[in-house]
Amino acid sequence: MKIQRIDVFPLIFPMKRNFSISGGSVGSKESGATHVYVKITADDGTVGWGEARPSRRWSYETLESVTSTIRKYLGPALIGKSPLCFKTLHQRMNLEIASGTTIGQPIAKSAIDLALHDLAARSENKPLPGVWQEAIPGPVKLSYLISTSDPEEAAQLASKAKAEGYKGLDVKVGLTPKRDIDVIRAVKEAAPDLFFRVDANQAYTLSQAIQLAKNMEAVGVDVFEQPLPAGDLFGHARLRARAGVPIALDESVWSPRDVVNAVRTEAADTIVIKTSKMRGLYYARLCGLIAREAGLDLLGGGLTESTIGLTASAYLFGALNITTPVDLNGPLFLADDAVHSGTTIRDGCIHFPNDVGIGCTIDEEKIVKYRAQL
Ligand SMILES: [Mg+2]
């Protein structure tokens, strides 16, 4: 079997809620959410679909850069190759968009990687975990995302999440650092039994992070995610030595090498696995396996992907035995996407259908409806 054709669809999906992190808006009801769908067709007619969710306030990739990079470089480099050898195909992509000091447009590469996994699983008539010789996992627990600097609103959202059956809370801080501890206390009071993850998205200085970590320990926060800038592994190691709350790295870890460096520098208790930032399932799985072997914990997360990216990520988290609630929050923010799927969310968990591949059927009319004009 050979890859015959790669099609790219830049899309803007409607949002039902605005979403801000410490770096700014990552999508709003006004502007919508930027997604790129990729369709890979093999010469025997097998098709795989993948997704990227570029968010320029979270990393440097954009709707335009992901679309043009796949169309002009990554896609043409893979035509004529076997779609089943993920390692060789990733090597081709890494040659085509070189790494420099980064790993070279991982979000664009992730869209192709997801489509390849979908295609490979479909060609064997198996659900996605079949490509890892794994069975469909049980339900994957979800955390509910809270992003506000108003303690009262944060408490209301925490109560709502608890009532809806969510198993954990992911609170974004750093939007208004002076109010962060008030938001954290309000959330803990409203939902004391839920797994409690606090994500600063690189917002703090070391001294701010040490102070907040001490306060969070007293409140009972379970994990403090990415307090310092991504490149500051030394600072995270110093923070870890003084903080009574486990430290997770997200934006600091994009690749297996980054996991190794986090281990070497003792900068993390926990690594945040995301398919989008890690070039898709192939490297995200490797990152998870290395971190596990090094004795670190894993958290699962996403970049508000639609149903394709959400389901693929959740399958991987199940295969990696991530038991803490994962932050796959696309459904909290997206009003619609371009997929029909048996994947369901109920009682705060993702439940998988027994379908082949990632299990998503593309709605061609919605691909046209939500098409972005670049
Ligand atoms: Mg994060």
Side-chain angles (χ1 to χ4, degrees):
M1 187 170 28
K2 289 187 169 58
I3 295 173
Q4 190 170 62
R5 191 184 160 98
I6 297 182
D7 295 294
V8 190
F9 305 90
L11 304 164
I12 296 180
F13 289 142
M15 289 187 75
K16 54 190 175 191
R17 276 169 65 189
N18 298 338
F19 184 12
S20 291
I21 60 173
S22 60
S25 170
V26 290
S28 67
K29 284 199 272 190
E30 199 178 26
S31 65
T34 51
H35 294 247
V36 179
Y37 278 17
V38 167
K39 179 185 184 185
I40 299 182
T41 309
D43 57 1
D44 70 350
T46 311
V47 166
W49 283 86
E51 175 192 1
R53 166 60 168 119
S55 175
R56 70 188 199 285
R57 297 270 170 60
W58 194 82
S59 79
Y60 59 86
E61 293 183 77
T62 66
L63 183 71
E64 293 81 3
S65 76
V66 168
T67 303
S68 63
T69 294
I70 296 173
R71 276 194 187 141
K72 291 182 77 92
Y73 303 103
L74 299 178
L78 304 185
I79 299 297
K81 304 285 182 293
S82 163
L84 304 181
C85 186
F86 302 146
K87 182 179 170 186
T88 305
L89 295 166
H90 270 289
Q91 283 171 345
R92 291 287 314 168
M93 287 200 279
N94 294 339
L95 280 173
E96 200 61 25
I97 297 293
S99 55
T101 56
T102 75
I103 50 174
Q105 301 195 28
I107 290 173
K109 290 169 182 171
S110 77
I112 289 181
D113 172 281
L114 262 57
L116 290 169
H117 279 78
D118 186 41
L119 190 155
R122 286 176 189 276
S123 76
E124 295 180 16
N125 206 29
K126 293 175 176 172
L128 176 68
V131 301
W132 308 310
Q133 311 306 323
E134 300 259 4
I136 294 176
V140 169
K141 290 183 279 184
L142 280 170
S143 82
Y144 184 93
L145 193 137
I146 296 174
S147 176
T148 173
S149 47
D150 177 358
E152 211 168 292
E153 186 189 1
Q156 283 169 3
L157 289 170
S159 301
K160 178 173 179 281
K162 191 179 168 189
E164 288 178 11
Y166 283 86
K167 315 300 180 197
L169 297 167
D170 182 2
V171 175
K172 294 287 187 187
V173 294
L175 298 111
T176 317
K178 281 187 178 155
R179 305 191 70 177
D180 285 343
I181 193 62
D182 298 331
V183 169
I184 290 165
R185 284 197 186 105
V187 166
K188 185 68 179 180
E189 210 166 287
D193 304 329
L194 268 55
F195 182 80
F196 194 178
R197 171 175 174 177
V198 174
D199 187 359
N201 293 108
Q202 319 179 58
Y204 297 122
T205 63
L206 179 58
S207 59
Q208 285 175 321
I210 289 171
Q211 186 57 53
L212 189 61
K214 284 181 182 166
N215 293 336
M216 285 197 294
E217 185 185 0
V219 172
V221 168
D222 290 300
V223 61
F224 188 10
E225 180 174 332
Q226 199 66 50
L228 307 176
D232 192 5
L233 292 182
F234 183 62
H236 282 102
R238 288 181 67 192
L239 173 62
R240 253 191 92 220
R242 299 188 52 183
V245 55
I247 302 299
L249 292 183
D250 183 1
E251 289 96 318
S252 294
V253 179
W254 297 72
S255 66
R257 179 169 300 188
D258 291 340
V259 176
V260 171
N261 284 336
V263 172
R264 282 180 176 150
T265 53
E266 301 185 6
D269 299 284
T270 302
I271 299 296
V272 180
I273 304 295
K274 288 180 177 170
T275 60
S276 294
K277 70 170 180 177
M278 290 172 164
R279 291 173 286 184
L281 294 158
Y282 179 76
Y283 284 112
R285 180 166 174 267
L286 193 51
C287 286
L289 295 174
I290 293 169
R292 279 259 190 258
E293 288 299 317
L296 301 186
D297 290 324
L298 303 180
L299 284 174
L303 299 177
T304 62
E305 291 87 352
S306 75
T307 311
I308 301 178
L310 175 141
T311 306
S313 299
Y315 269 135
L316 177 66
F317 300 155
L320 288 171
N321 296 315
I322 296 179
T323 53
T324 47
V326 302
D327 182 26
L328 290 172
N329 47 49
L332 292 179
F333 295 98
L334 293 176
D336 197 10
D337 63 15
V339 165
H340 300 292
S341 166
T343 300
T344 55
I345 293 176
R346 58 179 191 278
D347 306 325
C349 293
I350 296 174
H351 299 258
F352 301 102
N354 189 12
D355 287 338
V356 296
I358 299 174
C360 293
T361 306
I362 299 302
D363 185 326
E364 304 280 354
E365 282 181 17
K366 287 187 179 173
I367 291 276
V368 173
K369 181 179 176 185
Y370 295 128
R371 186 79 178 233
Q373 298 305 320
L374 302 186

